[in-house]
Short mmCIF file of all heavy atoms in Angstrom, two decimals:
data_model
loop_
_atom_site.label_atom_id
_atom_site.label_comp_id
_atom_site.label_asym_id
_atom_site.label_seq_id
_atom_site.Cartn_x
_atom_site.Cartn_y
_atom_site.Cartn_z
N ASN A 530 85.17 75.75 87.39
CA ASN A 530 84.77 74.60 88.20
C ASN A 530 83.26 74.37 88.13
O ASN A 530 82.50 75.18 87.57
CB ASN A 530 85.25 74.77 89.65
CG ASN A 530 84.55 75.91 90.37
OD1 ASN A 530 83.87 76.74 89.75
ND2 ASN A 530 84.72 75.99 91.68
N ASP A 531 82.83 73.26 88.72
CA ASP A 531 81.41 72.86 88.64
C ASP A 531 80.51 73.87 89.34
O ASP A 531 79.39 74.12 88.91
CB ASP A 531 81.23 71.48 89.27
CG ASP A 531 81.99 70.40 88.52
OD1 ASP A 531 82.22 70.59 87.31
OD2 ASP A 531 82.35 69.38 89.14
N GLU A 532 81.01 74.46 90.43
CA GLU A 532 80.18 75.41 91.19
C GLU A 532 79.90 76.65 90.36
O GLU A 532 78.79 77.20 90.41
CB GLU A 532 80.89 75.80 92.49
CG GLU A 532 80.05 76.62 93.44
CD GLU A 532 78.87 75.87 94.01
OE1 GLU A 532 78.80 74.64 93.83
OE2 GLU A 532 78.00 76.51 94.65
N ALA A 533 80.87 77.11 89.56
CA ALA A 533 80.65 78.27 88.70
C ALA A 533 79.59 77.96 87.64
O ALA A 533 78.73 78.79 87.35
CB ALA A 533 81.96 78.68 88.04
N VAL A 534 79.66 76.76 87.07
CA VAL A 534 78.65 76.35 86.08
C VAL A 534 77.26 76.32 86.71
O VAL A 534 76.28 76.75 86.10
CB VAL A 534 79.02 74.98 85.48
CG1 VAL A 534 77.93 74.49 84.54
CG2 VAL A 534 80.36 75.06 84.74
N ARG A 535 77.19 75.83 87.95
CA ARG A 535 75.89 75.75 88.64
C ARG A 535 75.35 77.14 88.97
O ARG A 535 74.17 77.43 88.71
CB ARG A 535 76.04 74.95 89.93
CG ARG A 535 74.72 74.72 90.66
CD ARG A 535 74.94 74.15 92.04
NE ARG A 535 75.56 75.11 92.94
CZ ARG A 535 74.90 76.06 93.58
NH1 ARG A 535 73.59 76.19 93.42
NH2 ARG A 535 75.53 76.90 94.37
N ILE A 536 76.17 78.01 89.54
CA ILE A 536 75.71 79.33 89.96
C ILE A 536 75.25 80.15 88.76
O ILE A 536 74.22 80.83 88.81
CB ILE A 536 76.82 80.06 90.73
CG1 ILE A 536 77.11 79.35 92.07
CG2 ILE A 536 76.44 81.51 90.99
CD1 ILE A 536 78.26 79.95 92.84
N LEU A 537 76.01 80.08 87.65
CA LEU A 537 75.70 80.89 86.48
C LEU A 537 74.68 80.24 85.56
O LEU A 537 74.36 80.78 84.50
CB LEU A 537 76.99 81.18 85.70
CG LEU A 537 78.07 81.95 86.47
CD1 LEU A 537 79.31 82.13 85.63
CD2 LEU A 537 77.54 83.32 86.92
N HIS A 538 74.20 79.03 85.94
CA HIS A 538 73.17 78.33 85.17
C HIS A 538 73.60 78.12 83.71
O HIS A 538 72.82 78.35 82.78
CB HIS A 538 71.84 79.09 85.21
CG HIS A 538 71.33 79.33 86.60
ND1 HIS A 538 71.02 78.32 87.48
CD2 HIS A 538 71.09 80.49 87.28
CE1 HIS A 538 70.60 78.83 88.63
NE2 HIS A 538 70.66 80.15 88.54
N MET A 539 74.84 77.70 83.52
CA MET A 539 75.32 77.44 82.16
C MET A 539 74.81 76.08 81.70
O MET A 539 74.89 75.10 82.44
CB MET A 539 76.85 77.47 82.12
CG MET A 539 77.45 78.84 82.39
SD MET A 539 79.26 78.82 82.23
CE MET A 539 79.62 80.57 82.41
N ASP A 540 74.31 76.03 80.47
CA ASP A 540 73.77 74.78 79.94
C ASP A 540 74.80 74.02 79.12
O ASP A 540 74.48 73.03 78.46
CB ASP A 540 72.54 75.06 79.06
CG ASP A 540 72.85 76.05 77.94
OD1 ASP A 540 73.98 76.58 77.91
OD2 ASP A 540 71.95 76.29 77.12
N LYS A 541 76.07 74.46 79.15
CA LYS A 541 77.13 73.78 78.41
C LYS A 541 78.01 73.01 79.36
O LYS A 541 78.12 73.35 80.54
CB LYS A 541 77.97 74.79 77.62
CG LYS A 541 77.20 75.58 76.59
CD LYS A 541 78.13 76.55 75.86
CE LYS A 541 77.37 77.34 74.81
NZ LYS A 541 78.26 78.29 74.09
N SER A 542 78.65 71.96 78.84
CA SER A 542 79.62 71.23 79.64
C SER A 542 80.92 72.02 79.72
O SER A 542 81.18 72.90 78.90
CB SER A 542 79.89 69.85 79.02
OG SER A 542 80.47 70.00 77.74
N LYS A 543 81.74 71.67 80.72
CA LYS A 543 82.99 72.39 80.90
C LYS A 543 83.90 72.25 79.68
O LYS A 543 84.67 73.16 79.36
CB LYS A 543 83.70 71.90 82.16
CG LYS A 543 83.02 72.32 83.44
CD LYS A 543 83.92 72.15 84.64
CE LYS A 543 84.27 70.71 84.87
NZ LYS A 543 85.09 70.54 86.09
N GLU A 544 83.84 71.10 78.99
CA GLU A 544 84.68 70.89 77.81
C GLU A 544 84.33 71.88 76.71
O GLU A 544 85.20 72.30 75.95
CB GLU A 544 84.53 69.46 77.30
CG GLU A 544 85.13 68.39 78.19
CD GLU A 544 84.29 68.12 79.44
OE1 GLU A 544 83.14 68.59 79.48
OE2 GLU A 544 84.80 67.46 80.37
N ASN A 545 83.03 72.28 76.62
CA ASN A 545 82.62 73.24 75.61
C ASN A 545 82.82 74.68 76.04
O ASN A 545 82.65 75.61 75.23
CB ASN A 545 81.14 73.03 75.26
CG ASN A 545 80.89 71.69 74.62
OD1 ASN A 545 81.74 71.15 73.93
ND2 ASN A 545 79.73 71.11 74.88
N ILE A 546 83.18 74.88 77.31
CA ILE A 546 83.40 76.23 77.83
C ILE A 546 84.88 76.59 77.77
O ILE A 546 85.25 77.73 77.45
CB ILE A 546 82.88 76.34 79.28
CG1 ILE A 546 81.36 76.13 79.30
CG2 ILE A 546 83.23 77.70 79.89
CD1 ILE A 546 80.77 76.08 80.70
N ILE A 547 85.75 75.62 78.10
CA ILE A 547 87.18 75.88 78.10
C ILE A 547 87.65 76.30 76.71
O ILE A 547 87.32 75.68 75.71
CB ILE A 547 87.96 74.62 78.55
CG1 ILE A 547 87.54 74.19 79.97
CG2 ILE A 547 89.46 74.88 78.51
CD1 ILE A 547 87.82 75.20 81.03
#
Side-chain angles (χ1 to χ4, degrees):
N530 66 348
D531 297 334
E532 188 66 10
V534 175
R535 185 191 69 82
I536 293 175
L537 299 177
H538 303 299
M539 293 183 174
D540 56 355
K541 299 180 179 180
S542 63
K543 289 195 296 183
E544 290 75 13
N545 296 328
I546 297 174
I547 300 297

